[in-house]
Amino acid sequence: MHTMPPEDRLGPIVEFIERKTLKNVCSIGSKFPFLSAGGAYQASSPSAWTAGFWPGLLWLIHQQTGDPLCRETAEACELQQDEVLQQFVELDHDMGFIWTLTSLASYKLTGNSESRRRALAAASHLAGRFNLKAGIIRAQNDRTDIPGGNIGITIMDCLMNLPLLYWASAATDDPRFRHIAEAHTDSALERLVRPDGSTAHVARFDPWSGQFLEVRGGQGYGADSAWSRGAAWAIYGLALGYSYTGRPDYLEGARRVADFFLAQLPASRIPGWDFRLPDPAGQPWDSSAAAIAAGGLIELAVHVPGAEGLAYQQAAADILQALYEICGTQRDDGEQGLLLHATGNYPAGKQVDVPLIYGDYFFAEAVLRLAGRPFLRFW
């Protein structure tokens, strides 16, 4: 275990993140990078679930440096997403990921009234996906390759979309948004978080009766496995839920998953893509899971008193240091990604052992927050 104060340990990492992002903004511009191949980030659509992470990263760096190009580029990304918001048909539950890190971040930092309007519109659309009978927010849109369809499916990731609803409730003095966020969290906590702190990825309900039907492996190895990024979403999402509601069951759930996650980590502090594999030898890591979990542990530490909270903060610092030393690209100017060795969807054979933009975002967010730099939480 490292004992040096986090702010002292993280100074070189902050410098690396700022330097590489300021270089990247000149070459990437207002595109929507997703994964890096051959050293260069490949662009995705403004409607992709990952479309908020690049502008979100730019807003983080703008907070630190005041760099005008970061702000201008983030605002240009936000404008491109207007068509997506207006068309509606491409929207799914990841509106929270997209507009929290673009419009809501912009409004919090600049007071832009148009950004506020966009964030409220996205929150309204997100609330419209709520299934009253099942108590869930529906995840993706129609897909023919999912047995039984996906109208009644929700996934662990959605916990990170809910802060947009909590914000909208406060911004409009309307409790409906918060009611939906809490109802969804209750269902996720009951159906996706196991007593031992491990988590499932997918829960399926009958969309008409609301009856719970099954859990599925999703992007994890199987229905009974423990996909590491799913656990990271749960730590962060439940800790954020507690920050907005003060509900003890959310805090207890976050602690339970955090304790499980930390107990499964290898000595390197970089998790494999799933904690429960028949043969874990040689399986790829997921640096993005580590980065997300670090952010969740930092949030959790704020709400847990005494030695336990300090232990969560120390664990986050150790993970971030390991990410920098093992996965960081500080010595590779030919690589745009900040972190190597992320795994997106191993069962589908997609995005395996590559830099991923959301891993970079959460790494930067956690480092800047723990280092005590100017930090306004977007979630």
Side-chain angles (χ1 to χ4, degrees), residues 10-222:
L10 298 175
I13 312 181
V14 171
E15 188 279 330
F16 154 62
I17 292 169
E18 291 180 352
R19 173 177 54 82
K20 182 151 284 194
T21 304
L22 290 172
K23 178 182 177 182
N24 284 344
V25 71
C26 296
S27 54
I28 294 175
S30 57
K31 297 176 183 176
F32 297 92
F34 175 31
L35 65 86
S36 178
Y41 259 116
Q42 309 300 302
S44 61
S45 162
S47 65
W49 79 272
T50 55
F53 291 108
W54 171 238
L57 178 57
L58 296 178
W59 280 122
L60 286 177
I61 301 306
H62 177 70
Q63 278 190 83
Q64 311 305 310
T65 66
D67 182 78
L69 184 58
C70 286
R71 172 175 175 166
E72 293 164 8
T73 306
E75 290 174 335
C77 289
E78 181 186 1
L79 288 175
Q80 292 179 65
Q81 292 169 329
D82 275 355
E83 184 177 359
V84 181
L85 194 61
Q86 293 162 4
Q87 283 182 342
F88 179 74
V89 294
E90 293 183 349
L91 300 177
D92 60 24
H93 72 148
D94 287 322
M95 286 175 278
F97 276 123
I98 298 172
W99 278 277
T100 297
L101 298 180
T102 53
S103 295
L104 186 52
S106 173
Y107 173 64
K108 286 184 173 183
L109 290 171
T110 72
N112 186 327
S113 61
E114 279 299 293
S115 294
R116 181 181 186 273
R117 179 191 60 78
R118 293 182 183 104
L120 287 173
S124 182
H125 288 324
L126 180 58
R129 299 183 69 84
F130 183 66
N131 183 310
L132 179 63
K133 290 286 190 179
I136 60 165
I137 293 173
R138 178 183 174 180
Q140 296 95 358
N141 297 324
D142 294 332
R143 285 176 52 182
T144 59
D145 60 329
I146 295 179
N150 68 347
I151 296 176
I153 280 181
T154 194
I155 61 178
M156 182 65 80
D157 318 36
C158 192
L159 288 176
M160 291 300 295
N161 291 313
L162 303 182
L164 182 63
L165 297 182
Y166 287 118
W167 168 80
S169 197
T172 60
D173 195 26
D174 187 336
R176 292 176 303 151
F177 296 101
R178 174 172 166 155
H179 292 333
I180 290 171
E182 287 194 60
H184 178 90
T185 304
D186 293 346
S187 294
L189 193 54
E190 179 183 8
R191 300 301 183 183
L192 293 175
V193 179
R194 305 184 185 108
D196 66 355
S198 65
T199 59
H201 186 200
V202 178
R204 187 166 76 94
F205 297 77
D206 183 302
W208 297 100
S209 69
Q211 178 186 359
F212 171 70
L213 299 175
E214 62 178 343
V215 296
R216 290 177 174 174
Q219 292 179 32
Y221 177 77

Side-chain angles (χ1 to χ4, degrees), residues 356-367:
L356 292 168
I357 190 62
Y358 50 90
D360 285 2
Y361 171 84
F362 283 103
F363 176 63
E365 182 194 82
V367 167

Side-chain angles (χ1 to χ4, degrees), residues 272-356:
W273 69 278
D274 195 302
F275 289 126
R276 287 180 179 153
L277 296 173
D279 182 11
Q283 295 290 339
W285 295 336
D286 186 3
S287 59
S288 74
I292 296 161
L297 290 167
I298 295 167
E299 179 67 31
L300 182 56
V302 172
H303 308 296
V304 177
E308 185 181 5
L310 290 174
Y312 287 135
Q313 178 177 291
Q314 185 66 57
D318 291 340
I319 290 170
L320 294 172
Q321 189 70 36
L323 283 170
Y324 178 65
E325 294 174 356
I326 299 171
C327 304
T329 63
Q330 60 273 18
R331 289 177 291 276
D332 185 357
D333 289 337
E335 172 57 65
Q336 290 183 329
L338 299 179
L339 295 178
L340 304 173
H341 307 309
T343 297
N345 188 343
Y346 185 83
K350 297 178 179 179
Q351 307 110 42
V352 177
D353 195 23
V354 293
L356 292 168

